[in-house]
Amino acid sequence: MARGRHSFFVTCAPGVEPALHAEMRALRLAKVERQVGGVYFEGTLADAGRANLWLRAAVRVLLRVTRFACGDEDALYRGAHEVEWERFLAPEGTLAVTAHARDSELFHTGFVAQRVKDAVADRFREQSGKRPSVDKDDPVLGIHAHLVKNRCTLLADTTGPSLHKRGWRRAQGRAPLAETLAAATLHFSGWDKRSPLLDSFCGSGTILVEAALLASGRAPGAFRERFAFERWPGHDARAWQAARNEARDAGATPRRLILRGSDVDPARIEDARANAEAAGVADAIALEVADARDFAPKPGWNAWIATNPPYGERVGREKELVAVYRAFGDRLREHCAGYRLALFAGNRRLASELGIEPDERIALRNGALECELLLAEL
């Protein structure tokens, strides 16, 4: 992989851009610019490694390879064929191409992906007599083709599997919140990493584990087996291993930090324990089987409640959950004056049953589901 500075685009879930932008500025990446669907920056491949390792709200780190006018399939083929793909891939390597098209003459994404793949394969065959094979599950090189208004941008995926796959999860639970969205929830909540944090619908413990890692200052990517760029030609394995070791050993969860989770389902508490142990934060998180309708934490705390209650989509039926939301709202009003609430709501009707008017609503998406993050000082 050629050294020097490159342009990168870090993707995230819709609505998470402000949190990701703040993270990237804190990481001191250069020329950071918030855009729709993610955040742009400029830097070296080592900077891309730091981004993969340390960003909590990011999904992928993409390196912009080229950009060109693309009014027809011949222009698409030529533009892809001219790229020095040997910087990223050996002839016997594997690749996968995904495509997105909008307001362009070429609108069939399957066709766009096929032509880009053909151009890459033909270039290798012409130069070496060999051509890479396709591996959609675990390619050495993932190529993203974006066509907008007859301009094509080709990007190389430095990440591999999505960054929400931290590597510590041992139990999924029934409807887990993505780790990246849990991190965004904590960011938007304004949690100071020192005050008590409670989750009364903790499920498999995602929010609490992310909170423990955040408070300890440990990199979320330290648990990953590898990132895509580690298999690219010219990768500096020694320098990268030193960076990984530093990230893995950085910090420890503050001893007096209070992180507490509860769930009505004993199986979910076991899931949360398994995940906390895998992440090395089990000692920092207190877990118990308890019904959110009995929620009665210590009064007068300067505490945060960050939680993701069931939506009625995959877990439970909506009518049965109405009583849960109403009772939980009553407990918040009775016992949590002065607390700060960050509630990830996948069902607006159910969220309204809390009887609490939020100070702020942030539109987010959990997969295909439109959601809101409700923020309030109780």
Side-chain angles (χ1 to χ4, degrees), residues 177 182 185-186 189 197-203 207-208 260-263 292 295 304-311 325 328 332 340-346 354 372-374:
L177 186 66
T185 295
L186 293 167
S189 77
L197 182 76
L198 315 177
D199 184 353
S200 45
F201 297 93
C202 74
I207 291 176
L208 293 169
R260 293 184 180 176
S262 58
D263 198 282
F295 187 59
W304 268 255
I305 300 167
T307 193
N308 173 40
Y311 310 154
Y325 274 73
F328 183 57
L332 293 177
R340 293 166 178 82
L341 173 68
L343 186 137
F344 197 96
L354 290 171
E372 283 187 325
L373 180 62
L374 308 181

Side-chain angles (χ1 to χ4, degrees), residues 115-135:
R115 290 303 285 162
V116 171
K117 188 271 294 180
D118 289 344
V120 176
D122 289 348
R123 178 184 175 93
F124 274 100
R125 184 171 54 191
E126 292 163 9
Q127 292 187 346
S128 66
K130 300 178 181 180
R131 58 182 293 169
S133 58
V134 173
D135 184 345

Side-chain angles (χ1 to χ4, degrees), residues 164-246:
H164 85 272
K165 297 181 179 180
R166 307 288 205 226
W168 52 256
R169 186 178 289 280
R170 296 295 179 268
Q172 280 291 112
R174 287 182 294 180
L177 186 66
E179 290 82 344
T180 49
L181 288 175
T185 295
L186 293 167
H187 171 86
F188 287 126
S189 77
W191 183 54
D192 59 11
K193 297 182 283 189
R194 297 186 305 273
S195 299
L197 182 76
L198 315 177
D199 184 353
S200 45
F201 297 93
C202 74
S204 57
T206 307
I207 291 176
L208 293 169
V209 171
E210 287 293 314
L213 295 175
L214 176 63
S216 70
R218 279 187 286 172
F223 300 91
R224 296 255 302 205
E225 180 180 352
R226 69 184 177 197
F227 298 94
F229 69 87
E230 295 182 57
R231 294 193 283 174
W232 292 357
H235 168 63
D236 190 342
R238 180 177 296 181
W240 174 242
Q241 188 58 50
R244 283 185 67 103
N245 290 341
E246 182 180 356

Side-chain angles (χ1 to χ4, degrees), residues 317-327 349-350 353:
R317 298 177 181 177
E318 186 172 330
K319 290 182 179 180
E320 297 172 355
L321 291 172
V322 168
V324 175
Y325 274 73
R326 287 177 179 173
R349 293 185 300 275
L350 283 174
E353 299 292 344

Side-chain angles (χ1 to χ4, degrees), residues 102 112 335 352 361 371:
R102 177 169 59 85
V112 170
H335 298 278
S352 67
R361 299 174 182 265
C371 302

Side-chain angles (χ1 to χ4, degrees), residues 30-324:
K31 297 189 177 181
V32 173
E33 179 183 323
R34 194 169 102 196
Q35 299 178 0
V36 176
V39 181
Y40 170 91
F41 80 95
E42 294 180 8
T44 64
L45 196 59
D47 292 321
R50 289 198 299 128
N52 276 296
L53 196 58
W54 286 98
L55 293 177
R56 302 176 192 277
V59 173
R60 296 186 185 281
V61 180
L62 304 176
L63 186 158
R64 191 172 74 192
V65 177
T66 187
R67 180 180 288 174
F68 53 90
C70 183
D72 55 41
E73 64 174 286
D74 291 334
L76 174 65
Y77 182 91
R78 286 195 303 271
H81 188 272
E82 290 172 0
V83 174
E84 296 177 357
W85 294 109
E86 55 271 18
R87 294 182 297 163
F88 309 97
L89 188 64
E92 63 275 10
T94 57
L95 63 84
V97 183
T98 58
H100 167 83
R102 177 169 59 85
D103 301 330
S104 297
E105 293 297 321
L106 299 177
F107 58 87
H108 191 291
T109 56
F111 176 79
V112 170
Q114 181 66 37
R115 290 303 285 162
V116 171
K117 188 271 294 180
D118 289 344
V120 176
D122 289 348
R123 178 184 175 93
F124 274 100
R125 184 171 54 191
E126 292 163 9
Q127 292 187 346
S128 66
K130 300 178 181 180
R131 58 182 293 169
S133 58
V134 173
D135 184 345
K136 294 183 179 180
D137 297 324
D138 186 28
V140 172
L141 176 62
I143 301 172
H144 294 250
H146 287 257
L147 269 73
V148 180
K149 297 182 178 179
N150 292 328
R151 288 194 63 81
C152 180
T153 302
L154 297 180
L155 306 106
D157 183 1
T158 73
T159 301
S162 168
L163 288 173
H164 85 272
K165 297 181 179 180
R166 307 288 205 226
W168 52 256
R169 186 178 289 280
R170 296 295 179 268
Q172 280 291 112
R174 287 182 294 180
L177 186 66
E179 290 82 344
T180 49
L181 288 175
T185 295
L186 293 167
H187 171 86
F188 287 126
S189 77
W191 183 54
D192 59 11
K193 297 182 283 189
R194 297 186 305 273
S195 299
L197 182 76
L198 315 177
D199 184 353
S200 45
F201 297 93
C202 74
S204 57
T206 307
I207 291 176
L208 293 169
V209 171
E210 287 293 314
L213 295 175
L214 176 63
S216 70
R218 279 187 286 172
F223 300 91
R224 296 255 302 205
E225 180 180 352
R226 69 184 177 197
F227 298 94
F229 69 87
E230 295 182 57
R231 294 193 283 174
W232 292 357
H235 168 63
D236 190 342
R238 180 177 296 181
W240 174 242
Q241 188 58 50
R244 283 185 67 103
N245 290 341
E246 182 180 356
R248 188 179 292 113
D249 298 337
T253 308
R255 289 184 178 181
R256 296 186 178 182
L257 179 63
I258 297 173
L259 300 173
R260 293 184 180 176
S262 58
D263 198 282
V264 71
D265 186 346
R268 301 290 77 77
I269 293 298
E270 290 306 310
D271 290 344
R273 286 200 177 98
N275 289 331
E277 288 174 2
V281 295
D283 292 343
I285 301 174
L287 297 165
E288 65 174 340
V289 177
D291 195 322
R293 290 173 288 190
D294 300 323
F295 187 59
K298 181 178 178 180
W301 266 359
N302 178 32
W304 268 255
I305 300 167
T307 193
N308 173 40
Y311 310 154
E313 295 284 336
R314 292 171 58 189
V315 180
R317 298 177 181 177
E318 186 172 330
K319 290 182 179 180
E320 297 172 355
L321 291 172
V322 168
V324 175

